């Protein structure tokens, strides 16, 4: 440690001890791990605050345009390690904590994940916030402060069990409560016309939205933005009348009811729609955010017509789509702008990102429900729709049809720009869901391929690989991932490739040790680690992967001496509690794992592990230790994927379809470093038109037939042979996601993977090429694209 580091560690230790005493109120001799973690977090937070204030001042002084990212989900995970890395204070914090006789790792791992999201859409929002700060773009994220994030998953006899997540039972060290920032949010009631002709909405109920701010620090603390999450509470917290009459439960009812709005994150990313509480959540956080945005605008500017020059709002999918009518209501009803002008302003401020084309995931709200809960908004939606229809009489898509409000169409009509999240997805948007609207507004749809923050997803989670890269090309790449391309020139160096291989092996050993300690399964770090981690969905096809495992098991049993490449298939992911089929897939994987892992003949070559409770932290452990990344969705269904990028960046090779961002990953890393299989999106559509496509595929591939038979006949469910008949029945029958039709080519690609892995040195070279050529997948690049093509926002000169 240098003298500087030692001084830094000393200062850090002082700050920790000060917070332990004066903030936590504990003496060092009585402090728990939890107390120490909080004390360190407060010490770190203090440093972020300096950058935060400076950024706020700089944005204000520059009169800069501000970006607001409205999202129902921010899957931020743990914050301590990330903050330390971005402050470049990890070495001194480690020294300080170890100097106190504690394990730094234990302190970091004491932090619960902030699991305020389901999956990709929520994690993307978190990566974007970090990149917005890194790029010094004045921005704010707005969302909901869920008391319970995504449920915790465990397995009982192979079945998924859900328990509530309780991250807020502990003190959340990173947030600042803002009890003075309160907005009243109304629901229900009626609409009347005032004397001046203005419409007046009188809600029948109201709740308060209270702000909680978390600073989001960018790389090297050059800039810090805010994540503002809203918590719901009652306007009148206690019904004193009922209380005085002894009805203590009834007296607390208004508070309970109000708080239910920010109580839980909906654990569903496609199937569950139409729930009243969900609509309330959407309006609650959107309305609070818009009030806040206009209040900030008013404090800096006097002319509301300048709003589009100073404010850009991004709607993360349709979940905040009510922002359109709400902004219109604020401008037209409340501020008295003429309807046309209000509409024009709103349309120049709002933008919409689409994250899915799956019909079941596109939000549609019953007109009845909308009219009851948000009567004025429903009127405005009808007017927006009528205006648009009048301007374009030939069109076919209406925001309101069949008794439902189509939130995608509403968002499209109200947006300045609409974007998809990968090149393929954006193209499909134009051809399918938004074909009609795109024809009317041919310049509105733009592409912004997703990205991931390299600070968390390479530098922090994979320190071994990170320091090899820095040794070769310097550390500039962390803040400018384009520089990663320079790593390729070093790949001719055998010593460097050995170091890359050793880093991967060390990551695999660390993962194996953890899996063995926490789950009692022993893994061979020399086997290929083949990983599929993501929400469980039929379109993501975890069942294709497990079907291949069954076929491989049968093949090994038939010929154990054939020189098989040892492989561990690792799964992680949660199924929505109401998604019965997805839960069956989990059960099947666990049951197959039990049989395969206990088979003495095959288990040296093939193991299957399903790690419970997949979350951001588990991803940070798994991805650096992976050799093979499974990205095997039915082509046309995965809008982008972002896990795929994290794997490539960390030197895993992909086995994947031409879907979402896989297409662009393959273009960047080179087709020779990517194991492609399966039908294209076009071929998928054609294949579906063949009535017996599954039967044909099964008839043509005895391996597939035998694997299905084994599952169907109870090889993995002794005593209950029909346990998985839903799955086999589906695959032999409709097989909408074309598991059977892609199986044969998937098998072929996997055997190619086996052969490639056996050439260890060449595999390492190809893995390192994946890293070197993945710089384009930084969320910094994505955010620059949004700033230039969508928001018209510029970075502000960093303070000091
Ligand atoms: C909607 C209505 C009611 C309840 C829940 C929902 C809901 C919640 C979450 C609908 C969708 C989501 C999340 C979708 C999602 O994560 N999509 C993923 O977004 C990523 C970022 O763009 C992409 O990379 C993935 O391809 C896409 O699946």
């Amino acid at each position: 440690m240098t003298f500087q580091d030692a001084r830094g560690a000393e200062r850090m230790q002082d700050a920790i001890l000060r917070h332990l005493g004066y903030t936590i109120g504990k003496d060092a001799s009585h402090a728990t791990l939890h107390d120490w973690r909080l004390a360190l977090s407060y010490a770190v937070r203090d440093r972020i605050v300096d950058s935060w204030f400076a950024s706020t001042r700089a944005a204000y002084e520059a009169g800069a345009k501000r970006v607001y990212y409205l999202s129902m989900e921010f899957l931020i995970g743990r914050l301590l390690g990330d903050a330390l890395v971005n402050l470049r204070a990890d070495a001194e914090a480690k020294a300080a904590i170890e100097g106190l006789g504690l394990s730094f790792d234990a302190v970091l791992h004491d932090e619960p994940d902030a699991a305020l999201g389901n999956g990709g859409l929520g994690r993307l929002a978190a990566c974007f916030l970090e990149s917005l700060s890194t790029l010094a773009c004045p921005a704010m994220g707005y969302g909901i402060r869920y008391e319970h994030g995504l449920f915790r998953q465990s397995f009982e006899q192979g079945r998924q069990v859900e328990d509530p997540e309780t991250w807020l039972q502990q003190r959340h060290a990173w947030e600042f409560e803002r009890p003075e920032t309160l907005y009243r949010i109304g629901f229900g009631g009626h609409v009347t016309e005032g004397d001046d002709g203005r419409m007046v909405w009188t809600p029948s109920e109201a709740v308060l939205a209270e702000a909680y701010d978390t600073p989001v620090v960018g790389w090297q603390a050059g800039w810090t933005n805010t994540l503002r999450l809203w918590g719901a509470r009652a306007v009148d917290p206690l019904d004193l009348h009922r209380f005085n009459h002894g009805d203590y439960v009834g007296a607390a009812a208004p508070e309970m009811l109000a708080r239910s709005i920010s109580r839980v994150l909906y654990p569903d990313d496609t199937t569950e729609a139409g729930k009243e509480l969900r609509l309330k959540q959407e309006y609650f956080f959107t309305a609070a955010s818009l009030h806040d945005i206009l209040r900030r605008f008013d404090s800096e500017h006097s002319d509301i017509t300048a709003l589009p020059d100073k404010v850009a709002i991004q709607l993360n999918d349709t979940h905040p789509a009510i922002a359109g009518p709400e902004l219109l209501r604020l401008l037209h009803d409340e501020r008295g702008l003429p309807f046309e002008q209000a509409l024009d302003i709103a349309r120049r401020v709002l933008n919409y990102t689409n994250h899915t084309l799956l019909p079941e995931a596109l939000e549609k709200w019953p007109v009845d429900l909308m009219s009851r809960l948000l009567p004025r908004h429903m009127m405005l939606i009808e007017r927006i729709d009528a205006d648009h229809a009048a301007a374009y009489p030939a069109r076919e898509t209406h925001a309101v049809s069949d008794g439902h409000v189509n939130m995608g169409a509403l968002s499209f009509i109200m947006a300045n720009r609409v974007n998809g999240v990968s090149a393929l997805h954006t193209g499909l948007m134009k051809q399918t869901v938004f074909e009609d609207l795109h024809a009317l507004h041919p310049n509105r749809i733009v592409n912004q391929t997703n990205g991931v923050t390299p600070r968390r997803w390479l530098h922090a989670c994979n320190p071994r690989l990170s320091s090899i890269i820095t040794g070769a090309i310097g550390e500039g790449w962390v803040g400018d991932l384009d520089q990663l391309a320079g790593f390729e020139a070093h790949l001719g160096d055998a010593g460097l490739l050995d170091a890359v291989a050793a880093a991967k092996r060390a990551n695999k050993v660390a993962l194996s040790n953890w899996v063995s300690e926490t789950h009692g399964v022993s893994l061979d770090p020399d086997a290929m680690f083949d990983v599929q981690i993501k929400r469980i969905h039929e379109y993501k096809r975890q069942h294709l992967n497990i079907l291949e495992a069954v076929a491989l098991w049968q093949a090994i049993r038939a010929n154990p001496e054939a020189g098989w490449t040892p492989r561990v298939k690792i799964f992680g992911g949660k199924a929505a509690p109401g998604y019965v089929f997805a839960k069956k897939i989990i059960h099947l994987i666990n049951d197959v794992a039990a049989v395969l892992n206990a088979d003495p003949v095959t288990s040296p070559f093939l193991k299957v592990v399903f790690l419970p409770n997949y979350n951001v932290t588990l991803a940070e452990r798994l991805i650096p230790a992976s050799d093979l990344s499974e990205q095997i969705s039915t082509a046309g269904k995965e809008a982008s994927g972002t896990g795929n990028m994290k794997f490539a960046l960390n030197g895993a090779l992909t086995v994947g379809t031409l879907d979402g961002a896989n297409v662009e990953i393959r273009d960047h890393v080179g087709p020779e470093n990517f194991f492609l299989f399966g039908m294209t999106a076009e071929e998928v559509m054609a294949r579906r038109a063949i009535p017996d496509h599954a039967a044909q595929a099964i008839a043509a591939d005895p391996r597939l037939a035998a694997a299905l038979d084994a599952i169907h006949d109870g090889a993995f469910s002794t005593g209950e042979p029909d346990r998985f008949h839903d799955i086999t029945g589906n695959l032999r029958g409709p097989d909408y996601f074309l598991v059977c039709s892609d199986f044969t080519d998937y098998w072929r690609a996997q055997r190619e993977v086996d052969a490639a892995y056996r050439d260890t040195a060449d595999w390492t070279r190809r893995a390192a090429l994946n890293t070197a050529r993945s710089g384009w997948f930084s969320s910094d690049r994505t955010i620059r694209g949004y700033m230039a093509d969508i928001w018209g926002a510029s970075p502000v000169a960093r303070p000091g």
Side-chain angles (χ1 to χ4, degrees), residues 73 118 120-121 124 268-269 272 278 319 355 363 421 450 539 638-642:
E73 308 192 1
N118 272 288
L121 167 150
L124 185 75
D268 204 309
D269 57 356
E272 198 165 349
R278 166 85 184 186
H319 313 156
H355 296 267
E363 280 190 298
V421 291
N450 284 168
Y539 85 78
E638 189 70 88
S640 165
T642 46

Side-chain angles (χ1 to χ4, degrees), residues 149-153 160 162-165 267 535 574-577 613:
L150 190 63
F151 67 88
R152 270 187 322 151
Q153 176 199 55
Q160 170 173 294
E162 302 106 27
D163 281 300
E165 187 281 337
R535 288 299 292 261
K574 296 175 183 177
N613 204 37

